[in-house]
Amino acid sequence: MSVLVYTESENGKLKKSAFEVASYAKAVADQLGSSVTAISFNATSNDELGTYGVSKVLNVTDDKLATFNALAYANSIAQAAKNENIQVIIVSSSTNSKFLAPILAAKLKAGYVPNVVAAPESASPFTVKRTTFSNKGFAHTEITTETKIIGVSNNSFGLKENATTAAVEAFNADLSDADFSVKSIEIDKVAGQVTIADADIVVSGGRGLKGPENWGMIEDLAEVLGAATACSKPVSDMGWRPHGEHVGQTGKPVAANLYIAIGISGAIQHLAGVSSSKTKVVINSDPEAPFFKAADYGIVGDAFEVVPKLIEKLKEF
Ligand code: FAD
């Protein structure tokens, strides 16, 4: 039973999540006594996948697929899976993968489980631990369909080196105009910023920061840490920050290694989207703020005093 992994890239460079899903796929393949084939789209760094146990890479070189297109990507992966006689597909739990995987599942009549947060279980890699109820609990879910799709949460399994040589082949699926019936015409992206989905560290601000004019210190802290910036829902609703920074149940999910919440109360809807993060640090002037109950580390204090001192100290390293 061969394992196929969809490895995401940006501007030709594989994302960190690509190596994490490859590591996960290798663990599944080892249990099955099988090998890992990756499918990437216009990536130029495919040979790096060998470090994480991928022995073959199908690199899609079609220019029409230079930018993400859920239907066309899903069709390409489905064709690759059929050609390679694949029954297990591993993807990340990014927004794009969550868009693509249900289409792929419908095409292959596969069972799909997203948000998997633990290593494959020793009894069967197809009984997986995933988050549920907006990250307030875990479910152990079994996939019994012949073809299976597993979506792995970012920063949950980690990178596991398993050096082999990846043979890279060009692969282009047979696509029709119908596959491009919905497509992005133009994508506006703020240059030079770390995106929330790919960030190891996220620095997030809430209403406690009083106004958009005070976000300089959030950006400075993020810059020192190489982090992405985020915010609570009211902050983006009031237009203090762009909507793309809104995290939580109705915003972007965060599964960072470190999440720093500044002036955020820790409402249940906020926590629902950020509690998968490994370490949560809370800075809040109210010792009764609910976020402290979910925090690994907390600083009770005025953000306007604490954050500048933190930046100063971090700059010394
Ligand atoms: P507040 O609750 O006003 O908290 C501000 C905090 O700042 C307080 O704890 C205060 O003690 C602290 N503070 C004040 N001054 C300082 C200072 N000088 N220094 C340090 N701390 C200070 N919210 C989300 O964030 N994401 C979501 O996805 C989301 N989805 C929602 C969906 C629904 C259906 C609903 C009903 C609500 C949703 N909300 C969401 C809103 C959520 O319920 C809260 O209202 C919101 O998270 C509160 O934002 P906040 O913590 O920034 O503001």
Side-chain angles (χ1 to χ4, degrees):
M1 197 187 275
S2 301
V3 179
L4 182 70
V5 59
Y6 161 50
T7 49
E8 294 178 49
S9 58
E10 193 168 6
N11 301 326
K13 204 172 158 11
L14 290 166
K15 293 185 173 188
K16 185 187 151 207
S17 67
F19 303 117
E20 189 169 14
V21 286
S23 302
Y24 192 96
K26 176 64 176 157
V28 172
D30 283 349
Q31 257 178 273
L32 300 173
S34 164
S35 60
V36 181
T37 297
I39 179 162
S40 61
F41 291 76
N42 294 291
T44 51
S45 49
N46 287 308
D47 45 349
E48 291 175 39
L49 287 165
T51 310
Y52 300 93
V54 173
S55 47
K56 180 171 165 187
V57 184
L58 304 172
N59 186 34
V60 177
T61 53
D62 187 343
D63 284 346
K64 290 208 290 296
L65 297 173
T67 49
F68 179 79
N69 180 305
L71 186 56
Y73 274 39
N75 260 340
S76 301
I77 298 170
Q79 285 182 35
K82 282 188 179 149
N83 291 355
E84 302 284 320
N85 198 20
I86 297 282
Q87 266 123 27
V88 189
I89 302 174
I90 312 291
V91 300
S92 81
S93 284
S94 70
T95 308
N96 282 355
S97 281
K98 281 188 178 163
F99 192 2
L100 161 160
I103 302 172
L104 186 59
K107 282 191 179 302
L108 299 175
K109 298 195 176 6
Y112 164 48
V113 181
N115 301 327
V116 171
V117 288
E121 297 198 2
S122 53
S124 160
F126 308 127
T127 301
V128 291
K129 183 180 175 184
R130 58 163 298 190
T131 54
T132 186
F133 297 122
S134 298
N135 291 331
K136 285 195 283 295
F138 297 105
H140 294 265
T141 307
E142 188 184 8
I143 318 173
T144 56
T145 43
E146 195 180 332
T147 305
K148 300 150 178 81
I149 304 176
I150 297 173
V152 181
S153 283
N154 280 3
N155 295 317
S156 60
F157 185 67
L159 303 179
K160 309 267 187 296
E161 292 199 11
N162 221 315
T164 181
T165 305
V168 183
E169 290 175 14
F171 169 79
N172 286 305
D174 197 7
L175 299 174
S176 70
D177 287 348
D179 291 310
F180 297 92
S181 47
V182 178
K183 62 183 174 201
S184 304
I185 307 296
E186 204 179 316
I187 297 172
D188 288 333
K189 198 176 162 217
V190 185
Q193 282 187 3
V194 185
T195 58
I196 292 170
D198 299 323
D200 260 347
I201 306 175
V202 174
V203 178
S204 190
R207 205 147 48 177
L209 289 167
K210 322 284 186 218
E213 66 281 7
N214 296 322
W215 239 264
M217 64 181 183
I218 299 290
E219 285 169 342
D220 287 350
L221 181 57
E223 198 184 328
V224 181
L225 292 168
T229 51
C231 67
S232 65
K233 183 174 185 298
V235 164
S236 68
D237 285 349
M238 290 184 291
W240 294 1
R241 296 298 291 177
H243 281 290
E245 288 195 5
H246 159 201
V247 294
Q249 187 173 16
T250 49
K252 286 193 177 137
V254 180
N257 277 323
L258 174 62
Y259 181 71
I260 305 178
I262 304 169
I264 300 177
S265 57
I268 197 160
Q269 299 90 352
H270 186 87
L271 293 178
V274 305
S275 55
S276 292
S277 297
K278 281 228 171 85
T279 303
K280 292 169 279 291
V281 175
V282 171
I283 302 171
N284 197 304
S285 52
D286 175 7
E288 301 297 322
F291 216 145
F292 283 120
K293 289 201 180 86
D296 298 285
Y297 300 94
I299 301 173
V300 178
D302 184 340
F304 296 94
E305 288 173 20
V306 175
V307 177
K309 282 187 188 151
L310 199 57
I311 295 168
E312 208 181 294
K313 272 281 161 210
L314 286 166
K315 278 186 176 164
E316 288 173 15
F317 291 102

